[in-house]
Amino acid sequence: MQKIRKAIIPAAGLGTRFLPATKAMPKEMLPIVDRPTIEYIVKEAIASGIEDIIIVTGKGKRAIEDHFDINFELEENLVRKEKFELLEKIRPSSQVEIHYIRQKEPKGLGHAVWCARKFIGNEPFAVLLGDDIVEAEKPCLKQLIEQYDETRSSVIGVQNVSDTETHRYGIIDPKTMEGNRYQVNGFVEKPKQGTAPSNLAIIGRYILTPEIFQFLDKQETGQGGEIQLTDAIHQLNEIQDVYAYAFDGKRYDVGDKLGFIRTTVEFALKNEEIGAEVETILRELLSEKSVDR
Ligand code: G1P
């Protein structure tokens, strides 16, 4: 059986929601406490057994490559100062190889995935989107890989969202359900409010068979004038089963300002080093605010 060894992490987006912070810095490098968001995604891939990652980058994304590279000067400096704990934190993982390819034009998520087709070749693979961090006992991607191992079919990670949010996601039209796994009638990208076929939203984790490239090759534009991965998945589902899987785990939306702040606060509160003090600060701020009122 073909093992899922390779993963694509699209990271070419302009990060307009975080301007001006992202004018000269990739949004994937924005930190949650002390770790860039993309490092959480890479860690999940490693914990799920991925051996090779290709990050699809674009203009102004050099910091991502530097981050996952060895920094001899810094390492030497930390050794001299005997800061061995920090050394562990900055050394790139030896469990995975990270490769890079550039998306030359911002033509959408489907196009970004298509850019990595030669790296993937003819084997099933994973896609992880950097806007979604998932905390779970068993890594989210691993849960999907286990579903792939059972079905030998593409599997898309989904979670329930409220009626007011469906227009922000790819939404599935479920057919039948077995445990947490759905057979799917169709996939629709960002349906207009009130028209969504369900509340099950695609959350940035995918296992795809290489046949997806037959559809991405056509470069058809969809919602927002972009080449949509969801549209290609919809077409793939017409020639072979594509399942949706409602994974276990808490998902953090770091692609949006409020979600980012919420994640930062939650992760800071859980942080061993600073959690207790952060809680004190938050309590102080909130009591100041209620006095103001
Ligand atoms: C992308 C996908 C969408 C998915 C979402 C998850 O949209 O196109 O189907 O639901 O990621 O975060 P984006 O948020 O990049 O517009």
Side-chain angles (χ1 to χ4, degrees):
M1 185 167 72
Q2 268 190 311
K3 198 177 163 268
I4 308 292
R5 302 181 301 136
K6 297 179 181 174
I8 303 176
I9 302 181
L14 297 174
T16 40
R17 272 181 267 189
F18 289 93
L19 280 170
T22 47
K23 188 178 166 199
M25 178 171 71
K27 70 167 179 179
E28 295 76 13
M29 291 301 294
L30 292 173
I32 304 291
V33 187
D34 55 5
R35 185 177 290 177
T37 55
I38 194 164
E39 202 179 301
Y40 292 90
I41 310 297
V42 167
K43 275 189 188 288
E44 182 187 326
I46 295 173
S48 306
I50 295 295
E51 295 162 14
D52 281 280
I53 292 175
I54 188 156
I55 301 182
V56 184
T57 65
K59 250 202 183 92
K61 301 280 183 170
R62 278 289 301 278
I64 299 178
E65 294 185 39
D66 288 343
H67 182 74
F68 291 111
D69 200 0
I70 294 174
N71 183 335
F72 286 112
E73 266 181 15
L74 182 59
E75 289 198 12
E76 264 176 29
N77 189 291
L78 294 176
V79 170
R80 237 182 295 127
K81 292 182 178 149
E82 296 186 11
K83 295 198 167 166
F84 299 113
E85 238 177 82
L86 282 179
L87 199 59
E88 278 310 301
K89 285 190 181 170
I90 64 134
R91 269 205 182 130
S93 166
S94 55
Q95 288 166 278
V96 77
E97 279 234 27
I98 303 188
H99 315 257
Y100 301 89
I101 189 155
R102 268 192 175 225
Q103 182 185 24
K104 292 183 184 73
E105 295 162 89
K107 285 188 178 175
L109 177 61
H111 182 256
V113 169
W114 177 82
C115 288
R117 69 201 177 284
K118 290 194 178 138
F119 168 83
I120 298 297
N122 194 26
E123 58 182 283
F125 62 99
V127 178
L128 300 100
L129 303 189
D131 285 349
D132 299 299
I133 294 179
V134 182
E135 282 217 319
E137 224 164 272
K138 185 183 284 178
C140 175
L141 189 66
K142 194 166 191 182
Q143 296 178 42
L144 298 191
I145 290 175
E146 287 179 358
Q147 293 301 313
Y148 169 81
D149 289 344
E150 268 183 41
T151 60
R152 307 284 219 88
S153 303
S154 299
V155 187
I156 315 298
V158 294
Q159 271 197 342
N160 259 300
V161 298
S162 67
D163 289 342
T164 55
E165 288 180 312
T166 48
H167 69 285
R168 293 177 45 209
Y169 295 93
I171 301 289
I172 71 160
D173 177 5
K175 187 155 58 180
T176 55
M177 183 184 180
E178 197 192 329
N180 282 0
R181 190 168 72 211
Y182 297 84
Q183 279 195 314
V184 182
N185 289 317
F187 296 79
V188 34
E189 180 66 11
K190 304 199 175 88
K192 288 213 174 73
Q193 226 153 6
T195 68
S198 78
N199 287 54
L200 289 165
I202 300 175
I203 305 296
R205 300 291 183 273
Y206 311 75
I207 303 295
L208 296 169
T209 56
E211 286 77 22
I212 192 76
F213 292 116
Q214 291 174 20
F215 303 103
L216 291 175
D217 277 342
K218 295 186 187 140
Q219 308 268 309
E220 282 163 5
T221 51
Q223 202 273 340
E226 296 192 336
I227 297 168
Q228 296 291 351
L229 183 59
T230 305
D231 294 344
I233 293 171
H234 180 84
Q235 291 169 313
L236 181 65
N237 191 40
E238 285 168 0
I239 61 158
Q240 52 178 236
D241 284 334
V242 177
Y243 292 92
Y245 184 72
F247 56 86
D248 286 326
K250 183 162 183 186
R251 173 236 171 187
Y252 296 88
D253 178 6
V254 296
D256 154 84
K257 248 180 249 179
L258 269 183
F260 184 85
I261 305 259
R262 192 196 171 103
T263 311
T264 303
V265 173
E266 263 193 73
F267 279 42
L269 282 170
K270 281 193 285 191
N271 188 283
E272 273 183 19
E273 196 186 320
I274 57 167
E277 282 167 88
V278 172
E279 191 176 335
T280 312
I281 294 171
L282 286 177
R283 285 187 197 284
E284 277 171 17
L285 287 173
L286 288 173
S287 66
E288 274 171 29
K289 215 172 162 216
S290 58
V291 172
D292 284 352
R293 278 197 204 118

